[in-house]
Amino acid sequence: MANSSIKHCGHCLKLFDDLEQKHHCRMCGGGFCEACASDTKVVPTWGSSPVRVCKKCFQNDCEKGFVAENDVPNVQNLHNPPEVTVRKIGEAVHTTLETVASVVSYPLGYIKDSARPTYWVPDHELFNCYVCKVEFGPKVSKHHCRACGEGVCMDCSKSRKPVHSRGWNYPVRVCDTCVSGEE
């Protein structure tokens, strides 16, 4: 529900001033004053971190998380309206951008290399596909074979299979050389 359409707290019915901050319960989506939405708890649809919830949702006895429709005029059912989904996406994007901004001072190559297995050939050492020798560039992306760690193009790494010896227990990218060498 848009802040502009919330005229009063969905729990205590306190009327909001025009500039007063309104808070949304991440469980039911209702609009509340600070006092009625100051608790936090984990809500699975919002991830594993505690998020703001209203008093009723915090106490797990919330049918709607706000005052019943017949108690207050112009209150709509707020369970899963499209606006909640849009808000979730907006907050996820905002959180992601904050995270990215916090690591911008590290070079992207460093971040990628530190997260990759040690047996992979680093990107800065890859110039050509290990299998067909085509040069990597804007039209030919670098990929890593999960078996040998070499850099390969997409055309030479279409096979997927588990590589238990490297800890990949589910189907992953394997280059044509490794596939043909094992068959």
Side-chain angles (χ1 to χ4, degrees):
M1 179 179 272
N3 281 344
S4 60
S5 62
I6 300 171
K7 303 298 179 201
H8 52 79
C9 174
H11 184 71
C12 71
L13 303 181
K14 171 188 171 215
L15 287 174
F16 290 118
D17 295 333
D18 288 339
L19 299 175
E20 189 170 359
Q21 188 169 10
K22 298 151 187 164
H23 302 278
H24 287 84
C25 173
R26 301 309 193 260
M27 192 164 221
C28 68
F32 302 91
C33 67
E34 173 69 29
C36 293
S38 59
D39 294 308
T40 61
K41 74 183 214 179
V42 173
V43 177
T45 57
W46 284 88
S48 59
S49 298
V51 293
R52 182 183 297 273
V53 294
C54 68
K55 288 185 179 296
K56 285 187 178 182
C57 287
F58 183 74
Q59 296 166 356
N60 288 326
D61 63 353
C62 174
E63 287 182 32
K64 292 183 179 176
F66 55 95
V67 176
E69 290 179 28
N70 57 359
D71 292 344
V72 179
N74 300 324
V75 174
Q76 57 182 319
N77 184 341
L78 298 176
H79 282 285
N80 300 319
E83 294 82 9
V84 172
T85 302
V86 170
R87 187 174 182 121
K88 283 183 190 179
I89 292 168
E91 289 182 8
V93 168
H94 180 74
T95 301
T96 301
L97 291 175
E98 283 181 342
T99 303
V100 169
S102 70
V103 296
V104 166
S105 61
Y106 294 102
L108 182 58
Y110 173 78
I111 295 168
K112 287 169 73 176
D113 286 342
S114 66
R116 292 181 169 164
T118 55
Y119 71 95
W120 283 14
V121 177
D123 277 358
H124 69 274
E125 294 177 16
L126 298 174
F127 302 102
N128 301 79
C129 173
Y130 179 71
V131 178
C132 71
K133 308 301 181 211
V134 69
E135 187 175 346
F136 292 123
K139 294 184 180 181
V140 181
S141 298
K142 299 174 186 175
H143 301 280
H144 284 86
C145 171
R146 281 16 177 214
C148 66
E150 290 290 342
V152 291
C153 68
M154 187 177 300
D155 289 340
C156 295
S157 60
K158 290 183 178 175
S159 298
R160 303 284 184 271
K161 63 185 225 172
V163 183
H164 299 288
S165 63
R166 297 289 195 175
W168 305 96
N169 297 324
Y170 49 90
V172 291
R173 181 185 303 273
V174 179
C175 73
D176 294 350
T177 299
C178 289
V179 169
S180 65
E182 294 176 7
E183 294 180 339

